[in-house]
Amino acid sequence: MGKESIDGGSLSRIHVIVVSSDKNLSEKEFYIDQLFSKKWLLREKGSGTRDVFLKTLGDLAKDINIFMEFSEFEEIKTLLERNPDAITCISKFSVKKELERGELFEVKLKNITFERDFCLVYHKNKYKSKLFNEFSEFAKRYFQNILENS
């Protein structure tokens, strides 16, 4: 299926944050380049979160110490919890529970924010049944509610 066959729309904007298991990093604000010496754990190439992060960094992205790449958020979270020298950029929604439990900590940044769209994608030439339309509306409301409460 080519891109010309794809349609969709944004369900919501997702905040992407920098996270570490080192509580000391959460106690002050950093310029992003002050964190480049950390061991960065990122999603694999092609990940929307990774793309937003690196594109927002622009030319600075070449200076980041990408230590490991993963296909799953769970792998990153597990490694982060065991390695306080590691750091990642991840959607706030993906680490909500770990932040609440004090297992991971948000690292506050100066002069930079990361956001991405969370999208519903579908084949544009397929018939959109009443069920499909109801599901689309449900998904928009559901994710908006979750993200507003995270």
Side-chain angles (χ1 to χ4, degrees), residues 80-102:
L80 273 179
E81 290 172 2
R82 295 185 176 128
N83 186 352
D85 196 39
I87 198 165
T88 194
C89 189
I90 194 168
S91 74
K92 192 169 187 174
F93 175 73
S94 296
V95 290
K96 182 179 184 223
K97 290 178 185 172
E98 292 81 0
L99 293 170
E100 289 172 352
R101 292 190 299 245

Side-chain angles (χ1 to χ4, degrees), residues 33-45:
D33 60 339
Q34 292 176 294
L35 303 170
F36 283 176
S37 63
K38 295 286 185 188
K39 295 178 181 175
W40 282 85
L41 309 176
L42 295 184
R43 290 287 310 273
E44 76 282 359
K45 291 179 180 165

Side-chain angles (χ1 to χ4, degrees), residues 11-70:
L11 294 176
S12 186
R13 298 283 294 164
I14 294 176
H15 296 285
V16 178
I17 60 174
V18 173
V19 177
S20 174
S21 62
D22 182 353
K23 186 175 183 176
N24 294 325
L25 292 178
S26 70
E27 295 173 356
K28 63 180 191 172
E29 276 189 299
F30 295 89
Y31 291 104
I32 191 70
D33 60 339
Q34 292 176 294
L35 303 170
F36 283 176
S37 63
K38 295 286 185 188
K39 295 178 181 175
W40 282 85
L41 309 176
L42 295 184
R43 290 287 310 273
E44 76 282 359
K45 291 179 180 165
S47 157
T49 300
R50 177 193 175 112
D51 290 346
V52 164
F53 177 62
L54 295 178
K55 283 179 183 173
T56 303
L57 290 179
D59 289 338
L60 292 175
K62 69 182 180 328
D63 298 326
I64 194 167
N65 175 20
I66 300 176
F67 182 67
M68 296 181 87
E69 298 173 332
F70 297 91

Side-chain angles (χ1 to χ4, degrees), residues 109-133:
L109 301 175
K110 297 179 187 179
N111 297 336
I112 196 166
T113 58
F114 306 96
E115 288 189 334
R116 65 172 292 204
D117 287 315
F118 188 70
C119 297
L120 176 65
V121 180
Y122 51 88
H123 192 287
K124 73 177 174 183
N125 296 326
K126 296 286 182 178
Y127 173 71
K128 291 160 193 74
S129 67
K130 180 179 177 187
L131 179 60
F132 172 83
N133 291 328

